[in-house]
């Protein structure tokens, strides 16, 4: 999957369905004086905006900010937290709204401009974030809201970092003030139509999957707190809480997490107290028994009781730690900061730190590591079967389109033992659609898959044993020489990076050029990131500090995208393992072991471009696929798929 972003719809529909260019389709609302003609796919939000503006007037604010975030700063959010989507009609994954008494604006980047124009009605103005002359939210507010007025926002939904950025800018320019409105005005406008959170239960994850008790994890966090001089820690990231407590649920699509805060306290004798804030309707006796320990004073509260309890929990503490922003998590909310700071703070210190859980969960223990490998075997069975079906039926003329592949691949994953479905929206892109790195098919853009172009599928699964993410690009006909050249260069990058031996402490920044160098030699490059961490039956994008350590699992994903023509990407999950080196010194050396076990497309590989060492690596990789995936296919009585796998993994001379 993409290294940092979810995809947006983009210009491909116009390229496929009409002669209108991407630039034309994404143009701004009509020039002043011309009537606006909304797209037929736009959502009418006039009544929603009217309700919100009534509430703004009642709260005496001239503007109201609606971010995409939930109160936990999550990358992926549950349906009831899709406030921005509901209010504007814009369904892209990233964007922020500002509504005044007379204007409504969306800020989003270039990946989403076409989609925004198609989905928003004439009541909205698209602010093309990153384009020359487009102001930031705070600059626009300064220029368009009276300095004596107030701007409202829900302090739960805005990170401390972002809130203070807005606040400091406006105050430094003597502009309007920012006011925290405790009741979310969009929720009030949404009213009884707002969906509920899913009733998916919270359940303990068995020790055979976790490899470590939650008590042991809490003890490690306690030790890190004492070393840093903090006696209270507030964890707000949902995956941090789920990993720490060895609990899972399914409130967020594709991600087995649940609404949760964990507040850990440590006294002078190193005794630990733990206050856990969960949706009480999901706190079963099983959950209570799971979190019961005589040596750790644990209190379970309702999720929203955090705002009443936290000031008291923090009142007598000397140093309270909140989490700072990291990739995939915006950090503690502004309301968390005000809750722990209190009105009379005394000598209390409030610090922002990288969550200690971030570093712990990024390094898988031996049980988690073995589970990740088992999950990738199951996932490979599903994807290999999908590719084998397509490779037979597409050349034979049977109808397959992008959406059919998404549906069929999901079903194949669900058939695997301990499957919990996909880990993100599958990216299935044929032909020109592949030129958009993170395209997702829709009714408007869906293409038939034929023998006349490349097909890229980026997908993943959730299993009790681990999370997966893999991308393969294939051609069911005859690829062009350029496509073979580029594909082979991507493969060389994957092999070169996976083969490297490096000293402990190296980061992706130190090594990434190995992945990109084969493309650089052609004068080509790609614009997305090359790696992300991956969780153990958690988030498909997991934060880490970019320093490689043993038993880190993450992606390596080079790609190339030629506008209005084709795109391709290869993505493997790799594990960091000890490296065998000739000379033993005090410095520990590491290398990568590829966890993903799915064949590359033989039609797209020019072996003449591979060095002897690269060819040896590829043959060993194919041998590993045969040894690991072949028996599982036979165990599941998939002899036809097994035969296809053997053909695809024949040794290269």
């Amino acid at each position: 999957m993409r290294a940092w972003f979810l995809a947006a719809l983009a210009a491909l529909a116009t390229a496929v369905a009409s002669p209108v260019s991407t630039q034309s389709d994404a143009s701004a609302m009509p020039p002043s004086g011309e009537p606006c003609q909304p797209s037929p796919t736009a959502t009418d939000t006039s009544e929603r905006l009217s309700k919100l503006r009534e509430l703004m007037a009642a709260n005496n604010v001239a503007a109201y900010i609606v971010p995409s975030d939930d109160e936990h700063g999550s990358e992926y959010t549950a349906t009831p937290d899709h406030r921005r989507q509901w209010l504007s009609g814009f369904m892209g994954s990233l964007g922020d709204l500002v509504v005044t008494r007379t204007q409504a604006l969306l800020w989003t980047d270039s990946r989403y401009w076409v989609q925004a124009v198609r989905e928003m009605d004439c009541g909205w103005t698209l602010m093309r974030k990153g384009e020359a002359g487009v102001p930031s939210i705070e600059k626009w507010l300064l220029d368009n809201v009276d300095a004596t007025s107030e701007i409202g926002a829900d302090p739960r939904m805005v990170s401390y970092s972002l809130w203070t950025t807005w606040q400091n800018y406006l105050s430094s320019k003597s502009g309007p003030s920012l006011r925290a409105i405790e009741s979310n005005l969009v929720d009030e406008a949404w009213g009884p139509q707002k969906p509920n959170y899913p009733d998916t239960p919270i359940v303990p994850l068995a020790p055979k999957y976790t490899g470590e008790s939650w008590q042991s994890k809490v003890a490690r966090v306690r030790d890190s707190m004492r070393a840093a001089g903090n006696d209270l820690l507030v964890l707000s990231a949902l995956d941090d809480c789920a990993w720490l407590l060895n609990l899972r649920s399914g409130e967020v699509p594709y991600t087995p997490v649940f609404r949760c805060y964990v507040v850990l306290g440590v006294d002078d004798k190193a005794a630990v107290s733990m206050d856990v804030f969960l949706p009480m309707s999901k706190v079963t006796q099983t959950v209570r028994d799971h979190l019961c320990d005589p040596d750790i004073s644990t209190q379970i509260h309702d999720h929203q009781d955090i705002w009443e309890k936290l000031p008291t929990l923090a009142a007598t503490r000397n140093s309270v730690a909140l989490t700072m922003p990291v990739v995939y998590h915006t950090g503690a909310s502004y309301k968390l900061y005000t809750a722990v700071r209190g009105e009379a703070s005394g000598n209390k210190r409030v610090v922002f730190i990288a969550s200690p859980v971030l570093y712990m969960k990024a390094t898988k223990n031996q049980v988690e590591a073995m589970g990740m490998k088992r999950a990738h075997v199951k996932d490979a069975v599903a994807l290999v079967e999908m590719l084998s079906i397509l490779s037979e039926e597409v050349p034979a003329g049977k109808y397959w389109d992008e959406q059919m592949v998404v549906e069929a691949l999901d079903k194949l994953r669900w058939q695997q033992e301990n499957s919990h479905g996909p880990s993100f929206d599958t990216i299935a892109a044929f032909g020109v659609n592949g030129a958009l790195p993170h395209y997702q098919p829709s009714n408007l853009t869906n293409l038939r898959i034929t023998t006349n172009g490349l097909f890229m599928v980026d997908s993943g699964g959730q299993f009790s044993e681990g999370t997966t993410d893999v991308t393969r690009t294939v051609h069911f006909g005859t690829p062009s020489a350029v496509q073979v050249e580029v594909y082979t260069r991507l493969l060389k990058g994957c092999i070169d990076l996976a083969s490297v031996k490096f000293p402990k402490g190296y980061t992706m920044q130190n090594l990434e050029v190995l992945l990109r160098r084969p493309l650089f030699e052609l004068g080509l490059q790609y614009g997305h990131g090359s790696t992300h961490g991956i969780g153990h039956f958690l988030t498909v994008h997991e934060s880490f500090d970019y320093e490689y350590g043993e038993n880190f699992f993450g992606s390596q994903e080079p790609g190339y995208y030629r506008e209005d023509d084709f795109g391709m990407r290869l993505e493997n999950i790799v594990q960091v393992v000890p490296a065998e080196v000739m000379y033993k010194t005090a410095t520990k050396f590491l290398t990568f072991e590829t966890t993903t076990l799915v064949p590359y497309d033989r039609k797209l590989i020019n072996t003449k471009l591979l060095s002897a060492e690269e060819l040896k690596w590829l043959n060993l990789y194919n041998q590993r696929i045969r040894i690991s995936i072949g028996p599982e296919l036979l165990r599941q009585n998939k002899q036809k798929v097994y035969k296809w796998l053997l053909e695809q993994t024949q040794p290269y001379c």
Side-chain angles (χ1 to χ4, degrees):
M1 195 182 179
R2 63 185 180 10
W4 277 292
F5 317 109
L6 269 183
L9 293 175
L12 54 109
T14 51
V16 173
S18 76
V20 180
S21 72
T22 300
Q23 190 61 39
S24 173
D25 195 299
S27 61
M29 300 299 178
S32 178
E34 293 186 18
C36 171
Q37 295 295 327
S39 165
T41 57
T43 301
D44 182 358
T45 61
S46 56
E47 184 177 349
R48 301 171 187 180
L49 281 171
S50 178
K51 289 180 180 179
L52 177 62
R53 284 171 172 143
E54 289 175 6
L55 293 165
M56 290 166 57
N59 283 271
N60 197 28
V61 290
Y64 191 71
I65 304 173
V66 183
S68 294
D69 294 331
D70 63 9
E71 65 181 86
H72 297 275
S74 308
E75 181 189 13
Y76 300 123
T77 57
T79 304
D81 292 312
H82 291 177
R83 298 173 180 86
R84 184 261 299 155
Q85 292 92 322
W86 175 82
L87 182 62
S88 68
F90 169 60
M91 302 305 292
S93 58
L94 293 174
D96 297 308
L97 308 178
V98 171
V99 178
T100 70
R101 305 292 176 84
T102 60
Q103 297 188 70
L105 308 96
L106 164 73
W107 272 259
T108 193
D109 65 47
S110 60
R111 294 167 296 147
Y112 303 96
W113 293 348
V114 173
Q115 182 179 357
V117 169
R118 290 176 181 157
E119 294 179 342
M120 296 194 307
D121 64 22
C122 296
W124 291 90
T125 298
L126 173 60
M127 304 296 286
R128 290 169 172 75
K129 189 176 179 180
E131 191 174 71
V134 176
S136 64
I137 287 178
E138 59 268 33
K139 179 65 165 63
W140 189 92
L141 290 168
L142 178 69
D143 294 340
N144 291 274
V145 177
D146 187 272
T148 61
S149 299
E150 289 186 317
I151 299 161
D154 185 340
R156 297 174 303 157
M157 309 301 167
V158 182
S159 70
Y160 170 82
S161 174
L162 186 56
W163 187 285
T164 53
T165 296
W166 291 341
Q167 190 174 55
N168 293 341
Y169 178 84
L170 293 172
S171 63
S172 70
K173 304 291 185 180
S174 300
S177 57
L178 192 58
R179 172 154 65 93
I181 298 179
E182 301 299 329
S183 176
N184 190 284
L185 300 189
V186 176
D187 286 352
E188 292 188 39
W190 207 340
Q193 300 303 315
K194 181 182 176 182
N196 296 319
Y197 289 92
D199 58 5
T200 314
I202 298 174
V203 295
L205 189 61
K208 66 179 180 179
Y209 300 124
T210 66
E212 183 180 12
S213 70
W214 68 263
Q215 293 94 330
S216 173
K217 294 177 180 180
V218 167
R220 289 203 282 150
V221 174
R222 174 203 63 196
D223 293 344
S224 73
M225 291 172 60
R226 297 189 73 199
N230 300 316
D231 53 2
L232 195 75
L233 170 66
V234 182
L235 296 174
S236 55
L238 299 183
D239 58 330
D240 278 4
C241 297
W243 181 86
L244 180 70
L245 300 176
N246 287 343
L247 294 172
R248 299 294 190 271
S249 185
E251 287 193 345
V252 177
Y254 311 121
T255 310
V257 294
F258 46 92
R259 287 164 289 159
C260 179
Y261 293 97
V262 174
V263 182
L264 292 171
V266 180
D267 65 18
D268 293 338
K269 298 181 180 179
V272 181
S273 63
M274 184 170 73
D275 288 82
V276 182
F277 297 83
L278 301 169
M280 288 303 289
S281 63
K282 299 187 177 187
V283 179
T284 63
Q285 189 59 47
T286 299
V287 172
R288 292 185 182 277
D289 292 344
H290 172 74
L291 294 177
C292 180
D293 186 272
D295 297 324
I296 300 176
S297 174
T298 302
Q299 300 292 324
I300 300 176
H301 315 274
D302 185 65
H303 178 251
Q304 286 301 298
D305 286 349
I306 181 78
W307 311 116
E308 176 188 349
K309 303 288 186 183
L310 187 55
T312 301
L313 292 172
T316 59
R317 298 294 179 172
N318 296 315
S319 182
V320 179
L322 300 175
T323 55
M324 63 190 293
V326 292
V327 179
Y328 313 124
H329 182 243
T330 61
S333 69
Y334 183 70
K335 187 165 184 179
L336 280 177
Y337 171 78
T338 57
V340 300
R341 189 67 183 166
E343 296 191 11
S345 59
N347 294 322
K348 178 172 42 183
R349 182 178 68 137
V350 179
V351 297
F352 286 85
I353 63 170
S355 167
V357 175
L358 181 153
Y359 302 110
M360 295 176 188
K361 72 177 187 291
T363 302
K364 276 52 179 178
N365 62 42
Q366 291 302 316
V367 171
E368 290 173 322
M370 290 302 298
M372 292 290 284
K373 292 179 179 181
R374 285 196 297 271
H376 279 78
V377 169
K378 297 178 184 181
D379 199 71
V381 168
L383 183 54
V384 165
E385 182 169 7
M386 184 77 261
L387 292 175
S388 71
I389 293 170
L390 292 172
S391 68
E392 177 184 355
E393 296 186 353
V394 170
K398 184 169 182 179
Y399 184 90
W400 277 93
D401 61 37
E402 295 164 339
Q403 290 182 318
M404 290 172 64
V405 171
V406 172
E407 182 178 354
L409 185 53
D410 282 357
K411 288 180 179 178
L412 289 171
R413 281 199 168 94
W414 274 111
Q415 291 173 9
Q416 296 301 306
E417 185 181 8
N418 294 330
S419 173
H420 300 273
S423 57
F424 58 93
D425 278 318
T426 295
I427 298 167
F430 177 74
V432 296
N433 290 351
L436 297 164
H438 303 107
Y439 160 86
Q440 289 165 352
S442 69
N443 291 336
L444 183 64
T445 63
N446 189 34
L447 287 181
R448 179 176 180 176
I449 300 166
T450 70
T451 58
N452 296 323
L454 293 166
F455 178 59
M456 180 174 70
V457 57
D458 183 347
S459 64
Q462 293 284 9
F463 303 89
S464 298
E465 295 89 347
T467 304
T468 70
D469 182 5
V470 52
T471 307
R472 286 294 181 264
T473 302
V474 295
H475 201 298
F476 300 118
T478 303
S480 69
V482 170
Q483 291 169 342
V484 171
E485 171 88 18
V486 173
Y487 184 98
T488 306
R489 296 278 178 168
L490 298 184
L491 177 57
K492 284 171 68 70
C494 289
I495 295 173
D496 294 350
L497 182 55
S499 304
V500 70
K501 299 178 181 181
F502 56 92
K504 182 180 178 182
Y506 264 45
T507 67
M508 183 60 184
Q509 287 81 356
N510 298 133
L511 303 175
E512 186 178 15
V513 68
L514 296 173
L515 196 64
R516 295 178 179 265
R517 183 179 63 183
L519 271 188
F520 286 171
E521 291 171 350
L522 295 179
L524 303 177
Q525 61 177 326
Y526 55 93
H528 58 72
S530 298
T531 191
H532 61 77
I534 189 167
H536 173 260
F537 188 28
L538 275 175
T539 55
V540 71
H541 296 144
E542 186 169 85
S543 300
F544 75 110
D545 65 353
Y546 294 98
E547 181 178 306
Y548 287 126
E550 190 173 344
N551 275 352
F552 165 80
F553 284 76
S555 70
Q556 294 177 350
E557 47 184 300
Y560 175 68
Y561 313 92
R562 178 177 285 184
E563 187 175 358
D564 295 327
D565 191 355
F566 69 86
M568 59 176 72
R569 181 165 62 252
L570 299 175
E571 178 185 15
N572 295 320
I573 298 301
V574 297
Q575 176 188 6
V576 178
V577 297
E580 289 293 328
V581 291
M582 182 176 296
Y583 299 107
K584 303 294 184 181
T585 67
T587 302
K588 185 173 185 177
F589 275 74
L590 302 169
T591 189
F592 299 105
E593 180 178 285
T594 303
T595 308
T596 300
L597 294 170
V598 178
Y600 296 103
D601 189 347
R602 299 179 75 90
K603 289 183 181 179
L604 287 162
I605 300 173
N606 180 357
T607 56
K608 294 180 181 178
L609 296 177
L610 300 178
S611 68
E613 285 300 311
E614 289 168 339
L615 198 59
K616 178 181 178 182
W617 185 97
L618 183 57
N619 281 329
L620 288 173
Y621 179 68
N622 282 340
Q623 185 179 13
R624 285 184 59 216
I625 293 175
R626 286 188 171 199
I627 293 171
S628 299
I629 310 305
E632 185 62 21
L633 287 170
L634 293 176
R635 188 187 72 82
Q636 295 187 29
N637 199 31
K638 299 179 185 291
Q639 284 86 356
K640 189 174 181 180
V641 183
Y642 175 70
K643 181 180 178 181
W644 181 88
L645 181 76
L646 294 182
E647 293 171 354
Q648 297 302 308
T649 55
Q650 294 177 39
Y652 292 91
C653 297

